[in-house]
Structures are given as C-alpha cells and as structure tokens.
Amino acid sequence: MNKNTLIGSVLIVAIMIWWFSMTSANNEAAEKAKQAQKAAAKEAAAQVVDSAEAPAASELVLPGSTAELKAAPILGAAGEAAADSAVKDSAVAANDSAAAPAPKVVAPRTVTVETDKFIMTLSNKGGKIQSVIVKALPDSAKHFPELIQDTTLGALDLKLGGADLSNVLFEVNAPEWINVENDTTVQFVFTDANGSEVVRSYGFTKSGVAVRQVNKFKGFRVDNYELSWKGGMKETEEFPKGKSFGGTSYFFSEVIFKNNEITERETFSDAMTFDNANYYWVGMRRKYVAMSVQFDSPVPAQVKGKHINLATEGNPDPGTYSLSIADNVRGDSVAYNFMVLPLEWAEVEALGQGYEKIIVTGSKWFPGSSVWFVWICAMLLKLLKFFYSIIPNYGVAIILVTFIVRGITTPFTIKQLKSTSAMSKLKPQLDEINVKYRSDPQKKQAAVMELYAKNGVNPLASCTGGCLPMIIQMPIFMGLFFVLGRAVELRGMPAFLWITDLSRSDVIFHGFSIPFLMPDGLALLPWIMVVTTYFQTKVTMSGNGAMDPAQQKMMVWMMPAMMFLFSAVMPSGLVLYWIVSNFWSIIQYKIIRRDNGNNGPKTVNGKKVVDAEIVK
C-alpha cells in the first residue's frame, strides 16, 4: 500500500472509528441516565395505574356526585372555571330534581383496522392509536412486528387547552375488526357536560401508508392543542447477543423531523426541546421503519422529546422516546397524516417529503452533502437493485456493484500509484540529499527541486495524483458502506453457501464465540477479510520504497487487525464488499507493477533516473 492509499485508508478508518465512538458515547450517556429514567418510568407507571383505577370520563357513578363531574373534562376556553361551574350547577340540579338523567355508560373497547400495509388498533380511551403492526418486516417465523413499544400508552393522546382527553372514553360505533377494501373512516366522539363535542376520526385506504387523522371541535373554541406520543417505538430486528465493539452501531433509534426544508435525525439521553421552526413532519425511526405525524403544510409547532431507556443486562437496545407536539388551533379542527413507513428508498422518496434522508443524511461538516451524498447513495442502491432484477441474488449484485465502483475509481488509483512509484524511485537520491545538506536547508531544497525538475516529477503530484483522487473516491466508498449497512432490501436476503442473511453477521457456529468481537458465534467472512487485507496491504506496500520499512511492517499487521475489529460485527453484505474490493486491489496492483516493468532499470516517465548536478 503506497503512502497516499495509506492516508486515504487511515482517513476512512478514522471516520469509522468516529462513527463507532459517537455511538459508544451515546450509549454511555444513556447508561448514566439509566437510574433517572427508571425513576421516571416508575412514576409514569404509577400515574397509569392511578388513571386506570380512577373512574373514566363517561363511566357511570353516583348521579350528581362531584367525583363524576371532576373526572369529565369540560371543553372550551373557559377551562377549569367552566368545569367548576358545571359541578356547582349539576349539584344544584341534582338537589332540585331527584329524577335527573344518569350519564351514559361507555365501555372500554378497541377497533382493529387491517390494510395491505399494516394492522392498526385504535382505543376509545383517548381515541388514540394503541398498536401498529407492520406487514413489510416479518420475522423468521413470518410473524409481523409490533411498532409501538408500550401499547398501554400508545400514540396520539390529545389535549385541548386545559382539557386532557387521554383517559376519556369516547363513543365509537365501528365493529371490532375491519378489513379495508374501500376508503374507511373510524370515528370516536366525546361529549362533555355542556354538550360540546370532540370528534376524532381515522381515515384508512386499502394500500396507503398514511392514516388521515382529523380532530373536529363542535360547540366550543380552543386556542391550542398538544399531541402526545407516549408509547415510543419498538425495534423490529433482533439485537446482537452479548457486548461487542460497535455491535449496535447498525441499529438506529432516533427522533426524526423535517423543518425549514431540512431532514434531521436526533439522538439524546435525557430530555430535549427542539428549535422553534416550521415543521413538515415529526416522528421516530428504528433501523428499517419510521412513523411520523405529517402536517398538510409547515406549522410552527413546539416539539419536545424524552429518552426512554430500555438497555438492560443482555439487551443492548438503545431505547426509544416519548414525543409531544404542541401548536395553536387554526379554525375548528386539527388534521394531519400519521405515516407508517418501512424505509424502502424508492417508496419513501416517492412521497416527496424528504423521508429518504432518514436512511442516509449528509454531514453538516460537508456543505451540500445532504444533496450530493444522498444522490450518490441513491444511485448505488439503484445499481444494486438493477443487478438484482437481472440476477435475483443480492450477494451477486454486491459483487457486480463492487466491480463497477472499483472500475470507475481505477483511473484515479493508477494515477496515484504511478505518482508514488515515481517518488519512490527517487528515494536514494533524496536520502543522499537529506544527508549531504542536513545542516543547510536552502541547499537541500534547491537540490530536491533540481532532482524533480530533471526527472520531470511534479512535487505536488503526490497530493494531486494521490490524496485528491482518494478524496474523490471516498464519498463513493462511504456511500456504498452506508447503503449496504442500512438498506432494507438486504434484510433476510441470502447470498450463497453459508451466507443466509446479508443484513447480519454470517455466524456459522453458535457454540463458539469471541467476547466483544463475535459474541453471537463464530463468523467466517471476517477471517477471510483479515487474510485478504493482509495480502492486499503486503502487496501494495512492497512497491512503496518511499515508506520507512518499520512503518511498512507495522501497517501490514495493523490494517488486518483494524479491519477484523470492524468486520466482526458488520452485516455480511458489507464484509463481502470489502473482501471483493481487496481482491480487486491485489490484482490491479500486480497488473500495474507488471506493466510498469518494476523489475527492470529504474525509470521515471519512461526515462532513466537522472541525478541532479548538486547531488553529484
């Protein structure tokens, strides 16, 4: 491996180390918040129990009692004053007339709606979403996964001004189970003591990913509302067993949103209030799926989130979040779409809302990368799917994409190798100059420049011909790295022989494990990666006479060790890509050295090396 390739490789590895370290830092922060989160969880659980034991808003209790009326929120701007007035008026009415009608009994119940995309359960307690089961991500037993982490808390509780409707029992006339063939609406109605109504409706289509949620207000006015998503979001995939170096780095638990035309992904370990901005949508994601509240037009909502720690001994789950979205009411209703989104690039990109940038987001450190880097990743994924459409095997598709990528970058690599080769052939003369003029920097510089000039070597070529092409190649290599680690298309997809799932490590024997490296069992591809990296490094280093032999020896062993550290927990699709890339590098370097006549007399640009006069 020549000097410039080494610089590029180290840079790539540094980025990977930074990525893993950021994940580790987040995990450590989450661990520090663990005790506080447990206390908060206990408190929340106690509140849920208290709410469950307390009489619901419209449950039957003793007629005319104040307990009944305090449990039922009063809708409208009057808030608590209206509630107190209703209590007094009702108490007086109860004393004046023993025949006052009893409140209507509403029993707790649910409505389950099944579409082609998901199965959603709605609860009349709060008129909220209780459960979401997505059909796009079945497990090995063909069971569909639940997306709500805590179904007792669910999602989309509603608060109107001072009236919290979370524990109110809404009336609903829909059947318990609905198979959607045509557009269907499920409606929940709550009526307060003054006759004011809140109507919460959920609209479903047969094959759409959006649920249209509309909240209409009748007989009262309200200035603001708050949506609460307390139940968090559950991971659909099985986490790696045991502790490992970066083992959970390929799993994501994030708060996601689009504001001011920018898609953002946030992780935090405590609580967070997000910037005031115009939000297009707000939600959460796990590795292969996201859910969001999508507004019809950008709204200046106030968004808050709180981390829910789920990590326990043997369970490395990074946790989930609770969210609240608050905004002013404009008119007599609040409406939005609740989106259920398996993160298949083409499908989410077609929505035109920037959801594809949940999968791959550009870095704030590189201007415009949210556009050009995302485009590179999209093209690589399309190329991968194109080859899969011809040969229905993603393992073969990865190999072919690797050939294409390396073929595109080969001209840069050749230029880099030729530049390094030219510099290495002048190394004896450069060493002689360094020794001869070690106490006279001016003469040494003059001698070096004369040597370069006589041999037609550009002293900047090692950068322009080496580092710069490597920098150009990096976005492509990193794009493929991210795509293979995050693409839902590879989920559960076999390649060949023992590689049964390209999205996971290729464990061949669960009876043997290596702590922190292969805790789930013995994988084969990482060992092949070590061997190919060793030979690739050794072959490329052998032609780099400009590098110190001690450094060469160190790199020959350090690079395989570092790659083994990463590849031991990589998805097998990623490791397969690196192995094929290593083979390409070895063959490419052998051909270039043969064509350059490496064993003949030393030449630069087709001419024998000429000593500078000052060297002689």
Side-chain angles (χ1 to χ4, degrees):
M1 182 179 292
N2 55 66
K3 181 179 180 182
N4 297 297
T5 301
L6 173 62
I7 293 173
S9 300
V10 170
L11 187 56
I12 291 175
V13 171
I15 292 174
M16 294 171 65
I17 293 174
W18 172 80
W19 180 25
F20 285 125
S21 65
M22 288 296 293
T23 302
S24 300
N26 288 337
N27 290 338
E28 290 176 5
E31 187 64 26
K32 291 180 181 178
K34 187 174 181 179
Q35 298 303 322
Q37 294 294 341
K38 284 185 176 180
K42 289 181 180 178
E43 182 180 351
Q47 291 176 355
V48 171
V49 172
D50 292 343
S51 299
E53 294 177 350
S58 45
E59 289 179 340
L60 177 61
V61 294
L62 293 176
S65 68
T66 57
E68 170 202 351
L69 298 171
K70 286 183 178 179
I74 301 299
L75 302 170
E80 294 181 1
D84 293 339
S85 176
V87 171
K88 293 177 182 177
D89 292 344
S90 298
V92 171
N95 292 332
D96 291 343
S97 175
K104 185 177 180 180
V105 177
V106 179
R109 57 165 303 196
T110 59
V111 177
T112 300
V113 182
E114 182 174 359
T115 73
D116 291 346
K117 300 292 186 180
F118 52 79
I119 301 171
M120 182 176 291
T121 299
L122 308 173
S123 171
N124 74 330
K125 184 179 180 181
K128 64 186 174 185
I129 296 174
Q130 178 176 299
S131 166
V132 180
I133 297 174
V134 67
K135 292 183 175 182
L137 302 168
D139 61 18
S140 57
K142 304 302 180 183
H143 298 149
F144 299 132
E146 171 67 60
L147 298 185
I148 301 292
Q149 181 69 41
D150 189 339
T151 55
T152 61
L153 298 177
L156 304 189
D157 280 321
L158 180 64
K159 185 177 182 181
L160 298 172
D164 188 350
L165 304 181
S166 302
N167 296 311
V168 168
L169 290 179
F170 284 65
E171 294 183 62
V172 57
N173 295 319
E176 291 186 5
W177 191 283
I178 301 173
N179 284 304
V180 176
E181 295 296 333
N182 301 302
D183 292 359
T184 302
T185 299
V186 179
Q187 195 171 86
F188 297 86
V189 180
F190 167 70
T191 305
D192 73 357
N194 295 331
S196 299
E197 288 185 353
V198 175
V199 181
R200 306 199 74 187
S201 62
Y202 293 82
F204 299 87
T205 61
K206 179 176 174 58
S207 58
V209 295
V211 177
R212 183 64 174 174
Q213 212 281 291
V214 180
N215 304 279
K216 292 184 178 179
F217 317 130
K218 298 181 180 180
F220 71 101
R221 291 184 58 190
V222 64
D223 295 328
N224 55 74
Y225 73 93
E226 180 180 320
L227 288 173
S228 297
W229 183 345
K230 301 174 184 176
M233 192 168 177
K234 191 175 183 179
E235 177 56 68
T236 63
E237 308 305 302
E238 181 183 355
F239 284 98
K241 297 178 181 178
K243 294 182 179 180
S244 61
F245 183 80
T248 58
S249 297
Y250 303 96
F251 292 81
F252 306 90
S253 181
E254 301 167 330
V255 173
I256 55 173
F257 52 88
K258 181 182 179 183
N259 62 6
N260 299 331
E261 304 292 342
I262 300 173
T263 299
E264 299 280 0
R265 301 157 48 205
E266 295 284 354
T267 58
F268 46 94
S269 59
D270 191 6
M272 186 172 182
T273 299
F274 296 92
D275 295 337
N276 292 329
N278 289 322
Y279 288 89
Y280 290 73
W281 47 263
V282 179
M284 286 182 267
R285 65 83 58 102
R286 285 295 191 135
K287 182 173 183 177
Y288 291 133
V289 66
M291 293 193 290
S292 75
V293 173
Q294 179 180 302
F295 303 102
D296 296 339
S297 59
V299 297
Q302 183 182 57
V303 179
K304 296 181 180 180
K306 187 174 183 180
H307 181 256
I308 302 172
N309 186 40
L310 299 174
T312 59
E313 186 66 30
N315 177 25
D317 193 328
T320 183
Y321 302 91
S322 62
L323 285 179
S324 68
I325 305 169
D327 189 25
N328 294 328
V329 175
R330 302 167 186 85
D332 61 354
S333 66
V334 173
Y336 49 83
N337 289 331
F338 185 76
M339 311 295 290
V340 181
L341 302 169
L343 295 174
E344 198 281 320
W345 192 300
E347 291 188 8
V348 296
E349 185 180 33
L351 298 173
Q353 289 286 333
Y355 286 115
E356 69 277 5
K357 294 181 181 179
I358 300 172
I359 306 172
V360 177
T361 308
S363 173
K364 296 178 182 179
W365 297 349
F366 300 99
S369 60
S370 61
V371 177
W372 58 262
F373 183 67
V374 173
W375 181 85
I376 288 173
C377 292
M379 292 301 103
L380 290 170
L381 184 57
K382 287 179 180 179
L383 190 60
L384 192 70
K385 294 175 71 174
F386 170 74
F387 285 125
Y388 180 77
S389 68
I390 299 173
I391 305 174
N393 184 303
Y394 270 112
V396 175
I398 289 172
I399 294 173
L400 294 176
V401 168
T402 307
F403 287 165
I404 295 293
V405 170
R406 293 307 307 266
I408 292 173
T409 59
T410 288
F412 298 112
T413 305
I414 292 174
K415 187 175 181 181
Q416 171 191 347
L417 291 174
K418 286 182 177 180
S419 172
T420 304
S421 176
M423 296 292 293
S424 65
K425 289 175 181 180
L426 297 178
K427 187 177 183 300
Q429 286 79 5
L430 290 171
D431 290 342
E432 185 178 347
I433 290 172
N434 287 329
V435 172
K436 187 174 182 179
Y437 298 107
R438 58 180 176 273
S439 60
D440 193 337
Q442 291 183 343
K443 285 187 177 181
K444 180 169 71 173
Q445 183 178 8
V448 169
M449 297 307 296
E450 182 188 359
L451 181 65
Y452 287 154
K454 286 199 170 186
N455 289 280
V457 174
N458 182 355
L460 299 178
S462 60
C463 181
T464 58
C467 298
L468 184 59
M470 195 66 189
I471 292 173
I472 294 173
Q473 296 175 63
M474 277 185 61
I476 299 177
F477 291 143
M478 294 304 295
L480 194 54
F481 180 85
F482 286 136
V483 165
L484 294 179
R486 303 180 184 187
V488 69
E489 287 83 355
L490 298 184
R491 180 182 184 268
M493 286 292 179
F496 32 73
L497 301 176
W498 72 95
I499 308 174
T500 58
D501 187 349
L502 288 163
S503 69
R504 306 185 69 86
S505 182
D506 64 314
V507 176
I508 58 173
F509 183 57
H510 290 277
F512 176 82
S513 62
I514 303 176
F516 292 98
L517 289 178
M518 295 181 178
D520 195 29
L522 184 64
L524 182 57
L525 283 178
W527 297 102
I528 300 176
M529 160 74 86
V530 169
V531 174
T532 57
T533 302
Y534 172 81
F535 283 106
Q536 185 258 354
T537 308
K538 188 176 182 64
V539 167
T540 53
M541 285 286 184
S542 64
N544 189 359
M547 180 176 285
D548 182 75
Q551 290 181 340
Q552 290 186 16
K553 186 175 182 180
M554 178 186 69
M555 290 302 300
V556 166
W557 293 103
M558 186 178 73
M559 287 300 295
M562 291 180 63
M563 293 312 302
F564 179 71
L565 196 63
F566 293 117
S567 64
V569 293
M570 280 182 183
S572 55
L574 270 174
V575 187
L576 179 62
Y577 155 69
W578 282 109
I579 290 172
V580 175
S581 185
N582 282 345
F583 276 118
W584 180 283
S585 295
I586 294 170
I587 296 171
Q588 175 181 259
Y589 193 76
K590 287 285 189 180
I591 293 173
I592 292 173
R593 289 190 65 190
R594 182 194 63 191
D595 292 343
N596 286 344
N598 189 67
N599 296 324
K602 290 187 177 181
T603 61
V604 175
N605 297 325
K607 299 179 180 179
K608 291 184 178 181
V609 174
V610 179
D611 285 342
E613 291 297 326
I614 197 166
V615 174
K616 295 180 179 178

